[in-house]
Amino acid sequence: MSEPILDLHNLRKTFGALTATDDVSLTLHPGEIHALIGPNGAGKSTLIKLISGELRPDSGTIRFEGQAIDRLGPAARARLGLARSFQVSAVIPGFTVLENVMLAVQGASGASFRFLRPALRDRALTEPAQFHIAHVGMGTRAHMPAADLSHGERRRLEIAMALALRPRAFLLDEPMAGMGTEGARDLTAILSELRTEAPILLVEHDMDAVFALADRISVLVYGRIIATGTVAEIRASEAVRAAYLGDAA
Amino acid sequence: MTREAALNAALFVALIGTALVAQALGEGFIITLATKAAIFALAGVGLNLVLGYGGLVSFGHAAFFGLGGYATGILASHAMSGVPVATLPFTLNGSTEMLAIWPLAIAASGLAALAIGALSLRTSGVYFIMVTLAFAQMIYYLAISWPAYGGEDGLSFYVRNTFPGLNTFDPIQFFAICAGLLAAALGLVAVLTRSRFGLALRAARQNESRVVAVGIRPYSIRLLAFMLSGMIVGLAGSLYADLNRFVSPAMLSWHMSGEIMVFVILGGVGRLFGPVAGALAYIALEHLLGGVSDYWQALLGLLLLAIVIYAPGGLIGLIAGRRHV
Ligand SMILES: Nc1ncnc2c1ncn2[C@@H]1O[C@H](COP(=O)(O)OP(=O)(O)O)[C@@H](O)[C@H]1O
Ligand SMILES: [Mg+2]
């Protein structure tokens, strides 16, 4: 296999007596969607936060495109191209869709200390932003305040923001959460296209989406990866069935 | 023109008009009130940059107001006595020139804001409020216990500082200086808050982790905003010292921090002209009610309460409607 974009090595994170991440090693390769599944409280969001830099591991290392990023803060990691979406939809509610995506373009450009030109007239921000908004099918919503969007639209906006970061890898934490079946189907199509931009580490509860999208699946239980494999392998695994999938599979 | 832009223009015209009418009627006291309103509005515009646009509730902006004032008083009194303010590392002589005093007042308050901001911005929420308050109180007690510049009694400098081509003793001319600087500060804040810098500052107020996730460090954005804010408030303090020809520790006290905050909240948090509306309303209430009753502050308190509960957009929001910022 090719060199991994993202390479987690023996990560461990404890909260007091609780081990939320227990010796996790995992890779993300170019072009792939690697799904991370597991019951509530298994430590999926914690793992995403360790990668994005919001949390620091107790031990273990993270390499991103061959470079150890353990010492970098979350803003620096985002600038390297680690694009993260949040489990709880996170946009700037008082901004329009356009302004939200402009903010992401601005973040990726690394040039926030510009004081004179109105941002809305800065074509280096508006043009890429409009492009990404169109990409997720939100072209007609560009001037709507993010607070007025439907849940599904807000999720799309987040994807547009992630795209604007010119990502080298996506970290998506339950992008389908709270969406109806139709919204979930739409988003599945968008995510499937997204993998050509950059590989995706996908935390998701919607098993239809996971089975439709994932190239590989890792199953996390009590902070430990108990299995990694293709969709077929994971579906067939007795251990996974017992620990997690239950009747769902 | 939007409704808010029309309201903003009307507010500024009201301020200038009040002073001009008072001039025509020979009401010097009213001109002084209008001048005070312009200066308070300027301080509010400075605070609004962090409080309104940045969402940072600083309860210590009296520090910058007072530092601007003391810088002015100290320079003026040294100019009169002929003794240099400092001889090391370089000789700093006193001055009675506003154009020489302002940069020093702005620099002093800006440096203080940089230092205070660098430490207090590591905290957030109620801790931020307390830390900014604590720093301002430290400077307040320093001023009280430093006898060289009047200590508790404050420092008088009797003669208003000068401005080339103008007679600053003439109330309307001094008013013109203050109103001009207010207009400049409003222009500056309007430009800043629409720029990339302003986009990041406003975004960080609403969702800090989102801003981090797009690769922007809110800390450095906020620190710069805090420093600029302190500089504007310091300039207001310098003008206030010149208005009264007197500075005292009261300029540094937490009451002053609260008052500046009141201008912003009364007029409209995060609205460009909020502090102008707030300062005008404050001065008008003080003038109209202060004579009637010593309890006008209680009435002000009730008004503030009503604003916070029923009209978070302040007076501007009441008239011009809600707006997302
Ligand atoms: N900041 C924290 N402090 C203490 N415990 C935490 C913290 N964050 C998560 N946890 C705990 O760690 C475990 C894993 O949480 P999380 O990663 O959110 O799980 P998941 O996303 O898989 O549902 C849970 O038991 C949770 O309560
Ligand atoms: Mg989670």
Side-chain angles (χ1 to χ4, degrees):
Chain A
M1 223 187 283
S2 53
E3 278 290 297
I5 299 258
L6 190 61
D7 190 356
L8 314 186
H9 200 70
N10 301 116
L11 284 188
R12 175 183 289 275
K13 175 75 186 174
T14 55
F15 296 114
L18 176 82
T19 304
T21 307
D22 191 359
D23 202 26
V24 168
S25 298
L26 170 156
T27 56
L28 182 66
H29 292 270
E32 84 166 337
I33 294 183
H34 189 155
L36 189 62
I37 64 174
N40 262 330
K44 304 180 295 293
S45 293
T46 301
L47 190 61
I48 295 283
K49 287 177 191 161
L50 290 174
I51 302 170
S52 70
E54 283 156 88
L55 291 175
R56 294 302 168 107
D58 301 333
S59 60
T61 58
I62 303 174
R63 301 181 78 79
F64 183 56
E65 303 203 285
Q67 178 197 351
I69 56 168
D70 305 281
R71 291 169 175 281
L72 300 181
R77 293 187 197 190
R79 280 196 300 275
L80 281 183
L82 264 172
R84 172 204 202 312
S85 83
F86 294 82
Q87 178 169 358
V88 177
S89 182
V91 296
I92 312 294
F95 280 13
T96 62
V97 168
L98 178 64
E99 287 168 324
N100 266 284
V101 184
M102 281 165 56
L103 182 74
V105 176
Q106 177 177 321
S109 78
S112 285
F113 288 96
R114 303 251 175 103
F115 308 99
L116 296 182
R117 188 187 311 165
L120 280 167
R121 271 192 250 135
D122 187 342
R123 286 164 69 178
L125 294 184
T126 54
E127 281 175 4
Q130 294 280 15
F131 173 80
H132 297 301
I133 291 168
H135 194 152
V136 297
M138 297 268 290
T140 58
R141 292 277 191 270
H143 295 286
M144 189 180 260
D148 297 346
L149 297 176
S150 73
H151 188 79
E153 289 171 330
R154 219 172 299 171
R155 283 291 177 192
R156 283 165 191 250
L157 170 54
E158 278 204 54
I159 305 278
M161 292 177 82
L163 278 170
L165 292 177
R166 280 183 273 120
R168 305 290 301 150
F170 290 106
L171 307 171
L172 304 184
D173 196 356
E174 302 201 25
M176 316 270 179
M179 278 198 181
T181 34
E182 198 157 317
R185 217 177 302 132
D186 280 0
L187 195 58
T188 303
I190 293 177
L191 292 187
S192 157
E193 219 186 290
L194 219 53
R195 99 177 76 189
T196 59
E197 306 275 341
I200 303 174
L201 184 63
L202 175 69
V203 172
E204 189 47 68
H205 265 302
D206 182 331
M207 283 305 143
D208 291 338
V210 167
F211 290 145
L213 286 168
D215 300 295
R216 287 193 297 154
I217 299 176
S218 289
V219 184
L220 199 67
V221 178
Y222 293 123
R224 264 182 177 281
I225 292 189
I226 60 163
T228 295
T230 62
V231 171
E233 284 163 1
I234 294 298
R235 271 180 191 266
S237 159
E238 280 303 324
V240 172
R241 244 172 233 262
Y244 176 52
L245 288 179
D247 303 324
Chain B
M1 194 146 71
T2 65
R3 196 163 169 172
E4 182 161 349
L7 175 60
N8 293 348
L11 279 169
F12 209 79
V13 168
L15 177 65
I16 308 280
T18 305
L20 288 179
V21 170
Q23 169 77 3
L25 299 177
E27 295 274 358
F29 177 64
I30 302 287
I31 302 179
T32 300
L33 281 186
T35 309
K36 198 170 158 189
I39 294 171
F40 282 172
L42 178 63
V45 168
L47 178 63
N48 200 23
L49 186 61
V50 289
L51 176 64
Y53 296 97
L56 303 163
V57 184
S58 165
F59 202 6
H61 264 50
F64 315 127
F65 194 70
L67 282 173
Y70 267 93
T72 306
I74 289 170
L75 286 166
S77 64
H78 277 274
M80 253 166 274
S81 67
V83 182
V85 180
T87 47
L88 282 172
F90 52 86
T91 305
L92 177 61
N93 284 310
S95 173
T96 56
E97 296 273 347
M98 286 185 190
L99 289 182
I101 290 171
W102 291 343
L104 288 168
I106 290 172
S109 45
L111 279 177
L114 184 64
I116 293 176
L119 295 167
S120 55
L121 285 169
R122 296 185 187 283
T123 67
S124 62
V126 107
Y127 297 100
F128 180 78
I129 302 177
M130 288 299 135
V131 173
T132 49
L133 172 66
F135 277 114
Q137 287 301 96
M138 273 165 53
I139 298 179
Y140 170 75
Y141 285 113
L142 193 70
I144 280 195
S145 54
W146 196 3
Y149 295 114
E152 228 171 322
D153 301 328
L155 175 65
S156 291
F157 52 97
Y158 309 110
V159 181
R160 192 170 284 158
N161 294 305
T162 57
F163 189 92
L166 292 179
N167 172 12
T168 56
F169 297 108
D170 182 6
I172 195 75
Q173 295 193 41
F174 183 59
F175 169 80
I177 292 173
C178 297
L181 289 173
L182 172 61
L186 285 165
L188 176 72
V189 170
V191 168
L192 281 179
T193 51
R194 281 178 203 153
S195 70
R196 286 186 177 210
F197 168 74
L199 194 73
L201 179 67
R202 289 181 288 134
R205 182 190 77 232
Q206 301 177 59
N207 191 338
E208 176 167 357
S209 53
R210 180 25 108 185
V211 172
V212 173
V214 300
I216 299 171
R217 277 182 72 216
Y219 180 79
S220 30
I221 300 278
R222 287 172 172 160
L223 182 55
L224 181 59
F226 198 85
M227 191 175 97
L228 293 170
S229 163
M231 292 161 87
I232 296 172
V233 174
L235 178 61
S238 173
L239 295 174
Y240 195 64
D242 253 327
L243 176 69
N244 301 317
R245 283 152 287 172
F246 172 66
V247 290
S248 76
M251 279 181 81
L252 291 157
S253 82
W254 63 271
H255 297 100
M256 193 67 230
S257 293
E259 243 173 75
I260 303 174
M261 219 187 263
V262 167
F263 309 145
V264 178
I265 296 171
L266 198 58
V269 175
R271 310 298 280 257
L272 182 61
F273 274 68
V276 181
L280 278 172
Y282 184 92
I283 298 287
L285 283 176
E286 184 181 41
H287 179 59
L288 298 176
L289 298 176
V292 182
S293 149
D294 285 344
Y295 296 108
W296 81 276
Q297 294 266 11
L299 284 170
L300 177 73
L302 284 177
L303 181 64
L304 265 183
L305 204 60
I307 292 264
V308 169
I309 295 173
Y310 298 108
L315 297 171
I316 300 272
L318 267 180
I319 302 171
R322 263 192 71 214
R323 191 198 56 185
H324 71 277
V325 280

